[in-house]
Amino acid sequence: GCCSDKASVCGTADCGQVGDCDDDDICFSGDSTVQLASGATKTMADLEVGDSVLSADATGKFSYSDVAFKPHAANAKAATFVKVTTESGKAVTATPTHLLASCEDGLVQAKAASCLKTVNGNEAVTSIETFKGKGIYSAVTLDNEFLVADGVVASPFAMAHGIVNAY
């Protein structure tokens, strides 16, 4: 089924309504950017294991953490993405059901976001656009549960618990 590889998501996501399950990887686009400890930015496509990236823990505290692994190799897989833009102009690009940190201390699907946690605090979402793109990427850090992509706090997965510890 659509949730076989993300079994623990089934309780929280309505798999029946996801649509093209095969296309519904929980990812960022390859153009999404992350900030390195050096202050430079790097796209998801170019990110490497061992890179130290700005991320956040479960309490929302920001720090740099090393990328432990990238679930997707370089690819040009076609996918539907949403571009979620905030009031300050930050624009995060992810698959529609990708979980982003909402202002209310929970997680919200990208396609339904109204207020997001960013590196500059809470910001209202001003637009959500859907488009087709190619290349799906994510990254998991050693110490932190959340990744900061395009300045927005986001989960690297649909589920964020116990991934790294399993290795």
Side-chain angles (χ1 to χ4, degrees):
C2 75
C3 269
S4 57
D5 59 336
K6 307 195 249 297
S8 55
V9 178
C10 289
T12 55
D14 238 327
C15 287
Q17 298 171 4
V18 166
D20 294 328
C21 291
D22 293 344
D23 294 339
D24 205 70
D25 292 285
I26 308 292
C27 310
F28 300 99
S29 81
D31 297 331
S32 293
T33 59
V34 291
Q35 188 177 333
L36 303 180
S38 64
T41 55
K42 207 172 201 186
T43 64
M44 277 287 184
D46 293 333
L47 196 60
E48 293 166 34
V49 169
D51 282 345
S52 186
V53 298
L54 185 62
S55 43
D57 66 13
T59 66
K61 186 166 81 70
F62 294 107
S63 63
Y64 289 93
S65 180
D66 291 350
V67 173
F69 74 106
K70 288 179 70 175
H72 307 281
N75 69 87
K77 183 172 177 179
T80 298
F81 294 101
V82 288
K83 179 181 179 183
V84 182
T85 306
T86 67
E87 57 188 308
S88 74
K90 291 178 181 64
V92 62
T93 308
T95 47
T97 54
H98 198 110
L99 295 173
L100 305 176
S102 77
C103 300
E104 293 81 40
D105 282 342
L107 291 169
V108 62
Q109 291 189 348
K111 64 183 178 186
S114 60
C115 183
L116 295 175
K117 287 194 171 158
T118 77
V119 288
N120 304 112
N122 292 348
E123 292 188 19
V125 170
T126 52
S127 73
I128 299 178
E129 303 160 64
T130 303
F131 69 97
K132 296 276 190 193
K134 281 190 167 37
I136 54 168
Y137 293 92
S138 190
V140 177
T141 67
L142 283 173
D143 310 303
N144 288 331
E145 214 164 282
F146 298 104
L147 202 60
V148 176
D150 301 313
V152 174
V153 181
S155 169
F157 286 101
M159 51 175 194
H161 301 284
I163 303 284
V164 172
N165 302 342
Y167 288 84

